Amino acid sequence: MHEVLVVQPVVEKLPLKITSLDAQEHKLVVGTETGSLLLYAIEEDPFAVTLLESRVNPLSKPVEQCVIIAIAGAVAVLSGAVVTFYDLNTLAVRAQLDTSKGATLMALQVHTEDLNADSQHAKVALCVVVKRNMVIYDWDGTNFVQQKIIPLLERPRSVHWVGENIHAGFTRNISCINSTTGAVVELYSFKTSLTTAAFETLGGLRIPKLSVEPMPPDSVLITRENVTISVQRNKPNVEGARLEWSSYPEDIAYMGAYAFALIPAGVEVRRFRTSTIVQTVPIPGAQRMLLASGIIYVASQSCIWRLLPLDFEDQIEQLLATNQFAEAQSLIEEMEYSSPEDKAANIIRVRGIYAHHLFTQERKYEEAISILKELHASPIDVINLYPELSSTDSGVNVESLTSSDRRALQLLMNYLTEQRTLLAQLKSHQEYVSQQRGSAPSENPALQETLFLCEAVDTALLKVYIEVSPALVRPLLRIPNACNVSVCEELLLKKNKVDELVDLYRGKGLHRQALDFLKSQASSPDSTASELERMVQYLQTLKFADHLQLILEYAAWILQKDHEEGMKIFTEHFDEIDPLSTQRIIRALELLSTDAVLEYLEYLVHELHNATPDIHDRLIIGYISKLKTDLLATEGLAGPMLPARPEAGPRSTKLTFWDYRKKLGVLLETSEVYDAERILALCPNDALFEERALVLGRLKRHGEALIVYVEKVRNFQAANKYCEAHYDPDDDRSRDVFLLLLELYWNMYSKGNYPLADILSFLSVYGAKMDPIKALSILPLTLPLRDLTGFFDKCLHDMHRSRNTNEIVKSLLKAEGLQCKAQRLSYSTKRITIAEDRMCSVCLKRIGSNVFTSFPTGAVAHVYCATKES
């Protein structure tokens, strides 16, 4: 139950007995048992009641009924079985209806769209029941003129106008009487419809009162005993809603969603749709009730009250405060709103509050969230059901969670996951619309609201994951998300979720914050190698093209702390690197460490197979600089001295002079792109002779290279191998490389520094790769021919081999020529007949006299078609 009506006294302790009353706008007319009329004015703000006029009837007949006719400025009074009209302002007698003698009831009808009293276009009709007749009067502007008399079979107990029809209540039925034609149609009969058969067999008891009240828009309320039913005018004898009062009512009224009955205990209020009793207003001695201008007036013998209806909004708030949600929703559904949207919004609000009650008070989590989903409630409303999640601090104590709490969080997790998908689709659509309209996202309020919801949903989902399913936190942060950085950052730090916090920074593009956090972790006294490794892994995921400056900034600190880990940033990076970024990295590493830049250059050359000449030159120059530094550190009396070779045993991880020299030699020998002239200029003249020889060989300055091998380092085997590597009979500069070496050997022999046997052995091995005449011109004439037997054998064998090879090739080419000639003769002797109907095999048109060609299969085609087809 809740409060619908508020009692307000209007007239108290009147010394006259009240028999009738009527009210309209701010005027109240009261009729008494002595025939007196009282006119009151009611002011609302502030509330005040003033007696304007009073009139005493000299006949002293009770006023049975009074009706205010505002348009006519009069009051119709039924007293002494006759209707008399009084002035509404002075209560002076205007006229009396002589034809109304014997009247028992009257009813007024006003047809107008403008209810102002000064309107001259209103149609006013008055129905007066005179014995068994119904007399109809019309207002002509000055007087009521009789229009029609409708005879009846029985005297009505109550009458009411509804449009052009008059509803009359008789002893056992209700009839509808047309005021124009006089046609009478039975609307409802108690003989066949009600179960109260005792009405027909009451014996000496009085017949119960039968009353009728109009019910907008097209129904009437019929009351007999303590039962009220509704009947539609277009459905006679069909019972609608049914109300059973707690006692026999004296008067009935209907307003909004409620029906009101005046019973001995006071005024009883019931919901019309459900017949539920809502309120009982105790009014002692109440005898009559009137509904006028939306206000209920109740009168006893000496007092008058008015019952003011509370605003529907206040009634709904009462119901919500007492958790009567179904009653509140039902009331809203029966209310009239300015628009359907307003009604729907109020229903949604009530159901939302009901869902909140189910969730927080009854712990019916599934039902509550189901209701909110049906209402398409904002995710914010659902999140607010969890106060510990809606705040910036999670505040959820995992140890204190009950099974019911965990179930609630699990439901929220599922709900937020669904909403996340829906919001992503909505966001994509709104962004597409903004793009099509050419407007910025900030100019789209709907998109901004969606982005706000995405942030709230993702942030709440992260909080739930942390408590319910921690394994899902990182997958959420690794995909595009709208988590609030400041809130999630504080929460993850509180929960010591280091990896998750890094994923949050990475997903939001806050790489500097992530690296600063990782740096602080790696710099702490309790840090281990894993913290530094985590920082390296983060840098490896950044793209060089977008974040190179940031990478170089933090890589410098890591290289100082751990060179090996720092180099992994560049040598184990997952992103492809462009030439410009490569040069920037090299320049940055050159400022940090020679070893670092050499290691990175080695990675580019050997791992990425970078063929940029400048890269190879830089690496070679780096090696040479390293070697020069070591040579200068071990300089002796006669010049630079080679450092001692490392002794046998476990090797140090630090590279030695010989390691760098080996790398330099391999690179000089294998690289095809370095600038040999530039490198030669950097090679020292008093050291690194083998490396200098390799560079000279690249320049095809074989004489100088062989001099280095023979005279500088006296490595004759290396000299022989050099000649084997650079000999090219088709290259003028490399064809006589063995002759150059032979000449050097003979000069050394002449000086007594090289044995003759080795020279003769050299001639017997490589004689075939030298011009015999040039070779003999180098040798002295005094050299015995028998010593040159091996040389001559080698040369003659090579000459015979070359001649035999040429003969074989000549024979093969001759045989191939003969085959081609025979095949040509075969084709040239073949006859092709071109008839009138011979068709081209390509275009399927006649060959005719056009130029044609023939395929090996025998098919013919136009020359143009055959060329196009090929």
Side-chain angles (χ1 to χ4, degrees):
M1 297 177 65
H2 65 282
E3 193 175 44
V4 177
L5 301 174
V6 177
V7 180
Q8 187 178 50
V10 177
V11 178
E12 295 183 293
K13 299 180 180 180
L14 189 67
L16 302 174
K17 183 178 180 181
I18 300 172
T19 56
S20 64
L21 74 161
D22 193 17
Q24 192 166 8
E25 297 297 334
H26 300 293
K27 291 186 177 181
L28 172 66
V29 176
V30 179
T32 67
E33 187 178 29
T34 61
S36 300
L37 289 177
L38 304 175
L39 177 62
Y40 293 92
I42 301 176
E43 299 296 333
E44 296 295 342
D45 192 15
F47 175 73
V49 179
T50 305
L51 178 63
L52 297 179
E53 292 289 343
S54 63
R55 180 177 179 83
V56 179
N57 192 337
L59 299 177
S60 300
K61 297 289 185 178
V63 178
E64 300 176 14
Q65 190 176 358
C66 57
V67 177
I68 296 176
I69 309 174
I71 293 177
V75 180
V77 176
L78 175 58
S79 177
V82 67
V83 177
T84 305
F85 296 101
Y86 295 85
D87 188 270
L88 182 57
N89 297 317
T90 63
L91 295 183
V93 177
R94 280 192 179 182
Q96 188 179 77
L97 288 179
D98 296 333
T99 56
S100 66
K101 291 181 179 180
T104 56
L105 290 172
M106 64 178 175
L108 181 70
Q109 172 72 330
V110 179
H111 283 289
T112 183
E113 295 181 359
D114 184 5
L115 297 180
N116 292 328
D118 296 334
S119 177
Q120 300 299 321
H121 303 288
K123 180 181 179 182
V124 180
L126 182 65
C127 170
V128 180
V129 177
V130 180
K131 299 180 180 179
R132 294 187 178 182
N133 295 317
M134 191 174 286
V135 185
I136 309 299
Y137 299 88
D138 286 344
W139 174 255
D140 63 358
T142 56
N143 297 300
F144 278 94
V145 180
Q146 180 178 322
Q147 297 293 332
K148 192 176 188 63
I149 298 177
I150 302 173
L152 303 171
L153 299 177
E154 183 182 356
R155 181 172 63 85
R157 303 293 187 89
S158 62
V159 290
H160 284 281
W161 283 88
V162 179
E164 294 183 353
N165 298 318
I166 302 171
H167 290 108
F170 298 97
T171 304
R172 294 182 177 87
N173 61 43
I174 302 295
S175 296
C176 179
I177 304 168
N178 190 285
S179 62
T180 304
T181 63
V184 179
V185 178
E186 184 181 89
L187 192 61
Y188 193 84
S189 175
F190 282 88
K191 292 180 181 180
T192 58
S193 62
L194 292 179
T195 59
T196 56
F199 287 165
E200 301 296 328
T201 59
L202 289 176
L205 298 177
R206 70 176 181 86
I207 298 175
K209 178 181 177 181
L210 183 62
S211 63
V212 59
E213 291 287 336
M215 176 182 171
D218 58 354
S219 300
V220 293
L221 294 178
I222 303 170
T223 303
R224 192 175 191 185
E225 283 195 342
N226 67 327
V227 177
T228 297
I229 61 173
S230 66
V231 177
Q232 293 186 6
R233 292 198 301 271
N234 57 352
K235 295 181 180 180
N237 291 312
V238 177
E239 182 178 334
R242 180 185 180 93
L243 300 176
E244 293 188 7
W245 306 100
S246 57
S247 182
Y248 286 15
E250 290 294 331
D251 288 307
I252 296 294
Y254 173 82
M255 181 172 59
Y258 302 103
F260 307 90
L262 179 62
I263 61 175
V267 177
E268 185 172 292
V269 184
R270 289 181 179 266
R271 284 289 305 280
F272 182 78
R273 178 182 296 181
T274 62
S275 186
T276 306
I277 186 168
V278 176
Q279 182 185 10
T280 299
V281 182
I283 300 179
Q287 295 181 347
R288 51 191 47 82
M289 180 175 69
L290 169 71
L291 175 61
S293 303
I295 299 176
I296 296 176
Y297 291 86
V298 178
S300 65
Q301 290 185 359
S302 59
C303 298
I304 300 175
W305 301 267
R306 68 174 186 172
L307 308 183
L308 300 176
L310 288 177
D311 289 340
F312 278 112
E313 289 75 10
D314 295 335
Q315 296 179 38
I316 292 171
E317 293 303 324
Q318 288 184 44
L319 293 171
L320 296 179
T322 55
N323 298 332
Q324 301 181 61
F325 304 104
E327 189 73 13
Q329 180 178 344
S330 177
L331 180 59
I332 292 174
E333 291 172 351
E334 295 182 33
M335 288 171 54
E336 293 295 334
Y337 282 87
S338 58
S339 66
E341 291 76 14
D342 289 342
K343 175 178 284 191
N346 278 275
I347 292 175
I348 290 174
R349 173 176 171 268
V350 170
R351 287 184 58 79
I353 296 174
Y354 175 53
H356 187 276
H357 171 78
L358 288 175
F359 191 95
T360 57
Q361 302 299 322
E362 301 184 18
R363 294 187 177 273
K364 296 180 179 179
Y365 306 122
E366 296 89 342
E367 186 176 351
I369 293 182
S370 177
I371 291 175
L372 292 175
K373 289 171 67 176
E374 291 176 4
L375 298 177
H376 300 289
S378 170
I380 301 295
D381 297 331
V382 179
I383 295 172
N384 287 338
L385 295 175
Y386 301 79
E388 67 278 8
L389 297 180
S390 59
S391 62
T392 56
D393 185 11
S394 174
V396 179
N397 188 355
V398 181
E399 291 75 11
S400 63
L401 288 177
T402 64
S403 60
S404 178
D405 295 332
R406 289 186 179 276
R407 181 165 54 88
L409 288 175
Q410 187 68 41
L411 287 171
L412 178 63
M413 183 177 70
N414 297 335
Y415 170 80
L416 292 176
T417 303
E418 295 176 5
Q419 292 300 310
R420 192 174 192 277
T421 303
L422 295 176
L423 288 172
Q425 296 173 353
L426 179 60
K427 173 187 170 186
S428 176
H429 173 71
Q430 292 174 341
E431 289 176 340
Y432 173 77
V433 171
S434 295
Q435 184 179 6
Q436 293 298 313
R437 293 177 178 174
S439 59
S442 58
E443 299 174 358
N444 188 339
L447 177 57
Q448 294 303 311
E449 182 179 356
T450 301
L451 293 175
F452 173 75
L453 291 177
C454 289
E455 178 180 311
V457 167
D458 283 0
T459 303
L461 187 59
L462 176 68
K463 294 179 179 180
V464 176
Y465 279 164
I466 289 177
E467 308 304 340
V468 177
S469 184
L472 296 177
V473 174
R474 296 195 70 183
L476 173 64
L477 296 175
R478 287 177 175 176
I479 61 177
N481 63 81
C483 292
N484 184 288
V485 176
S486 59
V487 174
C488 297
E489 179 183 37
E490 180 181 354
L491 178 60
L492 293 172
L493 284 173
K494 180 179 179 181
K495 299 292 184 179
N496 196 27
K497 300 286 186 180
V498 176
D499 293 334
E500 289 80 356
L501 180 58
V502 173
D503 288 336
L504 172 67
Y505 288 139
R506 181 187 290 112
K508 298 297 182 180
L510 304 175
H511 304 301
R512 183 172 294 277
Q513 287 90 322
L515 291 169
D516 286 340
F517 173 73
L518 292 173
K519 183 178 179 180
S520 65
Q521 293 282 314
S523 303
S524 64
D526 300 330
S527 65
T528 61
S530 61
E531 279 78 9
L532 192 64
E533 183 180 352
R534 188 183 293 116
M535 189 174 180
V536 171
Q537 291 173 351
Y538 189 96
L539 289 170
Q540 288 173 339
T541 61
L542 300 181
K543 291 186 176 181
F544 282 124
D546 301 329
H547 308 287
L548 182 57
Q549 184 60 39
L550 191 67
I551 294 172
L552 294 175
E553 178 181 342
Y554 287 90
W557 181 82
I558 297 175
L559 284 168
Q560 294 175 359
K561 193 173 183 66
D562 189 328
H563 176 83
E564 184 177 354
E565 286 293 328
M567 288 308 301
K568 289 181 180 179
I569 299 172
F570 306 103
T571 60
E572 296 182 7
H573 207 281
F574 305 128
D575 184 32
E576 294 184 2
I577 184 168
D578 58 277
L580 181 60
S581 299
T582 301
Q583 295 297 329
R584 291 183 61 188
I585 293 173
I586 293 173
R587 289 195 296 270
L589 292 178
E590 285 176 343
L591 299 175
L592 295 175
S593 167
T594 304
D595 293 337
V597 71
L598 286 179
E599 188 174 345
Y600 182 64
L601 290 171
E602 289 174 349
Y603 166 74
L604 294 176
V605 172
H606 301 307
E607 297 294 333
L608 299 184
H609 306 290
N610 190 310
T612 304
D614 182 65
I615 299 297
H616 287 246
D617 289 352
R618 283 176 178 270
L619 181 55
I620 294 172
I621 293 171
Y623 285 151
I624 293 175
S625 299
K626 263 287 187 183
L627 296 173
K628 283 183 176 180
T629 302
D630 291 345
L631 288 171
L632 291 175
T634 56
E635 188 172 358
L637 296 176
M641 296 178 59
L642 295 180
R645 292 184 179 273
E647 299 178 358
R651 297 196 57 181
S652 173
T653 56
K654 185 178 180 180
L655 296 177
T656 65
F657 171 88
W658 300 101
D659 294 325
Y660 282 115
R661 190 173 185 185
K662 182 178 179 181
K663 289 184 176 184
L664 175 61
V666 172
L667 184 58
L668 291 173
E669 194 171 356
T670 57
S671 175
E672 301 286 343
V673 296
Y674 66 87
D675 186 351
E677 291 286 359
R678 179 185 179 187
I679 301 303
L680 181 62
L682 295 174
C683 289
N685 295 322
D686 52 356
L688 305 180
F689 298 113
E690 290 88 343
E691 291 76 7
R692 185 180 185 86
L694 290 173
V695 178
L696 290 170
R698 178 57 54 84
L699 294 172
K700 295 186 178 181
R701 292 161 63 174
H702 304 302
E704 297 178 46
L706 290 173
I707 289 174
V708 171
Y709 282 117
V710 174
E711 297 182 0
K712 295 290 185 180
V713 298
R714 291 184 175 276
N715 190 340
F716 307 121
Q717 185 178 3
N720 294 343
K721 289 184 178 180
Y722 176 89
C723 291
E724 291 176 0
H726 291 83
Y727 172 72
D728 185 1
D730 299 326
D731 185 4
D732 293 339
R733 301 176 64 183
S734 302
R735 183 183 300 126
D736 296 331
V737 64
F738 283 101
L739 290 173
L740 294 174
L741 183 57
L742 175 62
E743 186 175 3
L744 289 174
Y745 283 160
W746 189 260
N747 291 335
M748 289 185 66
Y749 168 73
S750 300
K751 297 177 182 180
N753 295 328
Y754 198 79
L756 179 61
D758 290 345
I759 295 176
L760 297 177
S761 176
F762 175 78
L763 287 171
S764 62
V765 174
Y766 300 108
K769 297 182 179 181
M770 291 182 281
D771 186 340
I773 296 176
K774 292 182 179 181
L776 291 175
S777 65
I778 295 174
L779 299 174
L781 298 176
T782 58
L783 186 65
L785 291 178
R786 64 175 176 272
D787 293 339
L788 299 175
T789 303
F791 169 68
F792 291 138
D793 287 343
K794 190 70 174 178
C795 290
L796 291 174
H797 178 74
D798 185 68
M799 292 175 60
H800 289 155
R801 181 180 59 79
S802 298
R803 188 190 64 181
N804 293 337
T805 300
N806 291 336
E807 288 293 333
I808 293 172
V809 173
K810 178 181 177 181
S811 299
L812 292 174
L813 292 175
K814 183 176 181 181
E816 185 179 2
L818 293 174
Q819 289 179 358
C820 292
K821 185 176 181 180
Q823 191 173 16
R824 183 182 63 80
L825 290 174
S826 173
Y827 288 148
S828 63
T829 57
K830 185 177 180 181
R831 179 174 296 180
I832 300 173
T833 303
I834 303 298
E836 289 293 331
D837 58 349
R838 190 70 182 268
M839 309 296 287
C840 173
S841 61
V842 178
C843 68
L844 302 180
K845 296 180 180 179
R846 286 192 315 108
I847 297 294
S849 59
N850 297 316
V851 181
F852 68 92
T853 185
S854 174
F855 293 106
T857 59
V860 294
H862 296 111
V863 171
Y864 171 78
C865 295
T867 304
K868 184 178 179 181
E869 183 71 14
S870 62

